[in-house]
């Protein structure tokens, strides 16, 4: 049995403001039903018992991260994007005058 939450229109309006959204007229009731259904489904899922021997660990071995140099970077990036063998990028933060 799906348990319904009771998200009120006031809570929906607050969520709308937090997300900086504006729901089209008449969509509020459908949105309330959908949100209550989704939250009820998560409530049911959270009650599922998982046997202790069950693992969620990643079983595939990961490769080691090894930096490799690429000698022909100018072929990939173009000479104008390189400076002393390093990639030039636009500054993220700039000083204002």
């Amino acid at each position: 049995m799906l348990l319904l939450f009771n998200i009120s229109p006031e809570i929906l309006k607050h969520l709308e403001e937090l997300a900086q959204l504006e729901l089209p007229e008449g969509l509020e009731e459908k949105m309330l039903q959908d949100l209550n259904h989704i939250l009820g489904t998560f409530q049911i899922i959270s009650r599922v018992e998982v046997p202790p021997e069950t693992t969620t660990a990643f079983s595939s071995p990961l490769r080691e991260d090894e930096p490799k140099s690429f000698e022909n970077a100018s072929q990939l990036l173009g000479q104008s994007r390189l400076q002393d063998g390093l990639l030039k990028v636009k500054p993220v933060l700039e000083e204002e005058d």
Side-chain angles (χ1 to χ4, degrees), residues 1-88:
M1 179 180 145
L2 189 61
L3 303 174
L4 290 180
F5 277 74
N6 189 18
I7 295 178
S8 66
E10 293 79 21
I11 292 175
L12 180 63
K13 187 70 176 164
H14 181 66
L15 291 172
E16 207 177 331
E17 291 170 5
L18 287 175
Q20 297 180 352
L21 295 174
E22 190 172 327
L23 293 176
E25 193 67 35
L27 191 62
E28 293 89 359
E29 186 61 36
K30 172 90 170 95
M31 186 63 70
L32 283 171
Q33 290 174 359
D34 289 349
L35 285 172
N36 285 322
H37 181 79
I38 291 167
L39 291 174
T41 302
F42 275 108
Q43 184 180 29
I44 291 170
I45 290 171
S46 70
R47 292 183 179 179
V48 172
E49 291 186 31
V50 178
E53 65 274 2
T54 303
T55 179
T56 57
F58 191 77
S59 60
S60 292
L62 299 175
R63 66 170 174 78
E64 290 294 320
D65 246 351
E66 298 173 11
K68 296 179 181 176
S69 61
F70 186 75
E71 302 302 323
N72 296 320
S74 61
Q75 287 179 338
L76 289 176
L77 304 170
Q79 192 60 39
S80 63
R81 304 261 336 250
L82 295 175
Q83 181 176 2
D84 299 325
L86 302 174
L87 178 64
K88 289 191 296 186

